[in-house]
Amino acid sequence: MELTRRKKAGIVALVVMAAFGVSQYVAATWIEVGISQSVLVGASSEGTMYDLEVAVSNPTLLPISVGQTSFDVTKDGHPIGSGEIEAFVMPVLGRITVEGTYLVDADAAESDSVVRISGTTEYSLIFGSISIPFEYDTADGFIHRT
């Protein structure tokens, strides 16, 4: 049984599409996330509010949609606040800076203490999604994807 030219082309196209999909999925796991700055906005009876600037780079050939990301702020393993990063779309082979905010509870210790920001970002791809946990330590900077 001989394959026609059309069937051969279809098989080659399917293999190429599968290879592209796998390569983009692997590239998406290498997305870089870093907190570029955290600025004190103000204090109230509820706590201290900070603006957060997060830089994200996309090494894939696909625009990637990221939903709103919630995260926790802890000190010495104890929760002292929470925050959110707005939803955004990462540009193809590009870098974007997005804004977020977080609130440290009023009863938390002094503001110059070391805190850890941790959460999970979910990236929506055409063929699925990837959840990548992240941590940021105000003393050491970006720690790792856990």
Side-chain angles (χ1 to χ4, degrees), residues 41-63:
V41 175
S44 68
S45 61
E46 294 179 8
T48 308
M49 180 66 74
Y50 293 87
D51 277 343
L52 189 66
E53 194 172 276
V54 180
V56 182
S57 66
N58 179 9
T60 72
L61 296 171
L62 303 169

Side-chain angles (χ1 to χ4, degrees), residues 54-119:
V54 180
V56 182
S57 66
N58 179 9
T60 72
L61 296 171
L62 303 169
I64 298 177
S65 174
V66 179
Q68 185 172 346
T69 302
S70 297
F71 57 87
D72 296 316
V73 181
T74 59
K75 179 180 177 193
D76 300 326
H78 302 291
I80 61 168
S82 62
E84 292 182 341
I85 301 170
E86 62 190 32
F88 62 96
V89 175
M90 287 187 267
V92 173
L93 294 174
R95 188 171 183 86
I96 188 171
T97 302
V98 295
E99 303 291 322
T101 59
Y102 66 95
L103 178 71
V104 174
D105 298 335
D107 57 348
E110 66 264 2
S111 62
D112 64 341
S113 61
V114 176
V115 298
R116 178 168 284 174
I117 296 171
S118 58

Side-chain angles (χ1 to χ4, degrees), residues 1-3 6 9 11 26 29 31 97 117:
M1 182 167 158
E2 191 173 314
L3 293 176
R6 209 177 233 183
I11 291 170
V26 169
T29 63
I31 291 171
T97 302
I117 296 171

